[in-house]
Amino acid sequence: MATHVITGAGSGIGAAVARRLGERGDDLWLWARDAGRARELVKQYPGARTLVGDLAEPERLSWALGHQSPPDRVDSLLHIAGVVDLGPVGELTPAVWRATLAANLMAPAELTRLLLPQVRAARGHVVFVNSGAGLHAHPQWGAYAASKHGLRALADALRGEEAGHGVRVTTVYPGRTATPMQEKVHRQEGLEYDPERWLTAESVATTVLTALDLPPGSEITDLTVRPTG
């Protein structure tokens, strides 16, 4: 039975991944921003355990984890949580930049640092669910794309550093996916939201599990998935 630490399991892609892993009997440790959210996740995923810390404040994650008992080994650390706020560079405030970079880049970096001994112990896998914005930056997407470009760099550096420990590192770049975040994006863009046009969270979850389930000695480094049509 593999042990997985998952951020973003409350909805969207994270929920689809957590559900699939739970259904096959794996051990789930779900990251929650506070105790109330942790209780909600336990109800959503009976048998799962939680770790609590606000990803919006990465500088406090060390303290938070130090007051809890994380698993002794982590077969996969799945970074799926994220935030998005659109706007032209000429109007984005430092507060937006800080919040976006903190949640989307600094928190994954810090959480990886804190749990890396357990990932090494399992010769485990770190998966970053990135975005098409991590490959190409478009107008209005400056802060989000910058955070995701940085996440790609983090993954590439980590892969080279940890290969000697047997740690695999994968970045998944989904296109637009029918999730609550995508609904928010459409509102910010002033566009009508039609979930039928976009990837399903289940299809992205399948992509993530494909990377996780490769046999030892093989690794998917970067994987892009897009809606057809």
Side-chain angles (χ1 to χ4, degrees), residues 22-143:
E23 286 172 351
R24 66 191 200 179
D26 286 358
D27 189 15
L28 303 183
W29 290 73
L30 308 179
W31 197 270
R33 63 178 174 268
D34 54 39
R37 187 59 168 157
R39 288 191 292 271
E40 293 174 3
L41 288 172
V42 170
K43 290 180 181 178
Q44 188 174 349
Y45 304 96
R49 284 169 280 190
T50 59
L51 295 167
V52 177
D54 191 349
L55 299 179
E57 299 181 291
E59 66 279 1
R60 294 180 58 83
L61 293 179
S62 178
W63 180 89
L65 203 58
H67 289 75
Q68 301 173 79
S69 298
D72 293 330
R73 52 181 285 134
V74 174
D75 293 285
S76 82
L77 172 57
L78 304 169
H79 296 288
I80 306 178
V83 300
V84 60
D85 277 296
L86 304 186
V89 172
E91 297 177 10
L92 290 174
T93 64
V96 172
W97 281 100
R98 277 194 294 266
T100 303
L101 292 171
N104 292 355
L105 177 56
M106 295 171 63
E110 178 65 351
L111 196 54
T112 298
R113 182 182 76 86
L114 295 170
L115 292 175
L116 199 51
Q118 290 95 319
V119 176
R120 288 171 175 167
R123 297 179 69 85
H125 202 150
V126 182
V127 177
F128 298 92
V129 174
N130 198 297
S131 165
L135 299 171
H136 305 284
H138 298 288
Q140 311 292 321
W141 290 77

